[in-house]
Each structure stands twice: as structure tokens, then as C-alpha cells.
Amino acid sequence: MINLLLSYIEDIGLRAFDHLKHLVLSIGPRGATTENERRAAMYIERILRASGLAVWTQEFPSIPSPSYSYILIYTLCIIGTFLCFLDFVMGAVIVITAYTFYVLENIFLLPIVTQLLSFIFGYRSKNVIGLLKSDEVPRIRVVLIAHYDTAKASSIFKPEKIKNIKSIVRTCFTSFTLIVVLSIINIFIESYALSMLIVFAGIPIYIELHGLIESELKHNYVVGANDNASGVAVLLALAEYLGRSKPMDSEIWFIATGAKEVNTLGITNFVEKYRDILNSAYIINFDSLGKGELHYVLCEGILKKYCLKQRALKEVADKVGREIGIRPREHQLLLTDSSILLKNDYEALTLMGLSEYNLPMDYHWYTDTLIGIKISNLRKAIEFTIAVIDELRGINKSKILN
């Protein structure tokens, strides 16, 4: 058994806070494909190696911001709406094409446009992967994940506006859907009055496009103390602790994903290459857990909900959560790495700190600094994870991984 000595957990929590401070103060904003993201990857790689893990990286193409994808999609939509005045069929075709890309990116979580633009622009990001092998034949496989890049601020993420983001996303989706329906109808009735209605139906899209362009032109990357230096800090502290204690008959993977804020490109690329590993793994994702009340998240998504099914990981999380005082919640906001995993039916949950509005604190805004970080949250996340691993080992005593 892994002994959860309170004083030792406190020491690990302080060590996690040291990692968090280094990421925030010594490195700073870590936007996808930037030099600071590369510096953060090098730091993570160094700590994992020093912890005794086998370490390697997985590079992949990326763009600096998800705004690139949505600017393209929304621009196509707007071109299609105005083209309806000149060519009803061609206008509808362009609108439907843009809508298809939108649905693939937001509902089916297939970042086709994002990956295409990533290849065109040629920027690079990477996942940092550490593996703690068992000295015996492994009976359980645990994958621990945290993204280390940070987002670019946008006016919709201002603290006074963030609580409206769900309605903004749903309004844009409704607007887009309405434009498609009206454009298809207009193919058959060829009405200029209906073409005018299509233009007015796109007002939420125009507003969103303006916000994306403003974000790219006026705003910078945030330092991301909570989102997600806190998650990486817990990941690294656990690597140091487990690297010393080496739980018997357990194989533990540590994945620091890059470009998560770019439509989850990091975890998407990891899933494509390591499906066989994930098929037999229990997965815990650390995201924005340093502020607010710590929860384990079982369901995620705004437009489509993805949930952890009633299997071993959920049962163990419920048991451990009751024992140490962490409650389950749903997370109805933008994607986490777990969203991709749950979509693929893997056993995954996210540890996250949430506000009274059921949102991460200081989300994607300049206030996401060290102010308000709770070391107690870092400690509790570490305690939860170690206890979950211990429980999973107990219920899998007779199981041997292939």
C-alpha cells in the first residue's frame, strides 16, 4: 500500500507549488508553438528524467491559436450568406461546407480545419511523455495528463462576462444552424427577401468573428497559473514522488500535452499513436485545479456531453472522493483533454477547481496569476490521485496487462 502520510503529502504539495512558480515566474505565458512553450517542455522533460522515468517527446504540427480555424470557418459562412444574393445554390454550398467544419470541430471533436492549417503554417508543438515501468508484470496502467500551454486572452473571457460563455456558444451554434436551414430552403424558393433574412440570422456569427480578430490583434497569451501551471505542477510532483516510491505491479504514464488550447491538438495526436496503451488504462487529467473548489469531473461539453461510464475508475473515484472530501461535478465549458478521451470511450476523468458558476477561476484572462492559488488544492489533488492508484491496484490484483 502507498502510505498517505499527511506531512509527506504537504511536502509534495509545496514541491508542486515550486514547479508552478517556475512555470509562471521564470517562463511565463506559454502559447502554443512559441519559444516559451518550448522552454516549458524542456523543463518538464528535465524533471521527468530526474525522477527516473523513461522520457521522450512527440512532435506534431500546430497553429499558435484556435482563432485561425474559427476565423476561416466563420469567414466562409459569411461569404456564403452574402453569396445567396447572387447564386442561391453556391451560397448554400459554401454555408453548408463551413457548417460541416464547425460541427466536426465542436461536436464530434475532429479538428480537421485546425490540423489542415497546422500543416500549412508549419509551426510545431510537442507532447512530453514519461513512463514509470513496473519492476513486476504490471497489473494496472495509469495515465496522468496535464497540458502545459496557455491560451490567448479574449474579451469574452473577462471575469464579468465569462459566466455568459455557454449562452454565447449555443447562440452561435443556433445561428449557424438557422443559416444552413434557410440557405437550403432558399435553393428551392429563390427569394431575395429570404436571402436578407439569412444575412440577419448571421449576426451572432459576425460578432463572434469580430471577437476572434480582436483577440488576435489586441490580446496576448496569459501566464496561466491556474490554467494550467497548476495541473503540470501536480503532474511533476507526482512523478517525483512515484519515481521514488515505485508502486509495485503498476505502469504509470505521465503526459504533458502541448497545444491543448488549439482545439486539443496535443491529446488528439497522442490518442492517434497510443490507442493500445489507452485501451487498458485508467486516466486522470489535471486541468485548472489551483483555484476554486476542487472537484473530479465526470461529464464534459457544451454542445455535446461526453461522460465517464460506470466502470472501475468511476467507482474508485466516488469512493476516494467521499473519503477525502472531493465531490463530482459536470463541466460545461470548452474542451479539456479528457473530452477527447471520453469521446473515444476511454476511462478518464478530470480534476478541476470550479467557481460558484461551475467555471474555472480566472479562465483565459490576465488575472490568471499566482494570486488565489491554493496549495491545499495541489495537495488534495495529489492525495486523491495516489489514493485512486492504490485502490485500483487493490481491485486488479488478479489482472495482468498484455
Side-chain angles (χ1 to χ4, degrees), residues 203-238:
I203 289 176
I205 301 295
Y206 314 149
I207 295 172
E208 179 67 11
L209 178 60
H210 174 269
L212 291 169
I213 295 172
E214 180 192 44
S215 174
E216 289 302 309
L217 296 178
K218 293 185 178 181
H219 288 287
N220 298 312
Y221 295 103
V222 302
V223 296
N226 188 42
D227 184 13
N228 187 37
S230 64
V232 176
V234 168
L235 183 81
L236 295 179
L238 282 165

Side-chain angles (χ1 to χ4, degrees), residues 18 21 94 102 125-126 138 152 156 215 275 316 340 372:
D18 288 340
K21 288 189 295 183
I94 293 175
Y102 180 86
S125 183
K126 68 172 67 172
K152 184 169 282 190
I156 65 170
S215 174
R275 291 184 184 276
V316 167
I340 305 301

Side-chain angles (χ1 to χ4, degrees), residues 237-293:
L238 282 165
E240 291 174 323
Y241 171 71
L242 294 171
R244 289 192 300 269
S245 62
K246 276 201 171 183
M248 296 173 61
D249 59 35
S250 302
E251 179 182 289
I252 305 178
W253 292 64
F254 298 81
I255 317 298
T257 57
K260 175 268 173 183
E261 301 293 0
V262 186
N263 289 349
T264 61
L265 281 183
I267 194 63
T268 298
N269 280 273
F270 184 82
V271 169
E272 288 175 0
K273 186 171 183 179
Y274 294 98
R275 291 184 184 276
D276 291 343
I277 297 298
L278 295 169
N279 282 334
S280 56
Y282 303 106
I283 309 162
I284 300 177
N285 178 44
F286 308 117
D287 198 339
S288 305
L289 52 77
K291 300 181 182 181
E293 182 181 351

Side-chain angles (χ1 to χ4, degrees), residues 22 25 54 91 137 149 241 283 288 292:
H22 181 85
L25 301 178
V137 176
D149 63 311
Y241 171 71
I283 309 162
S288 305

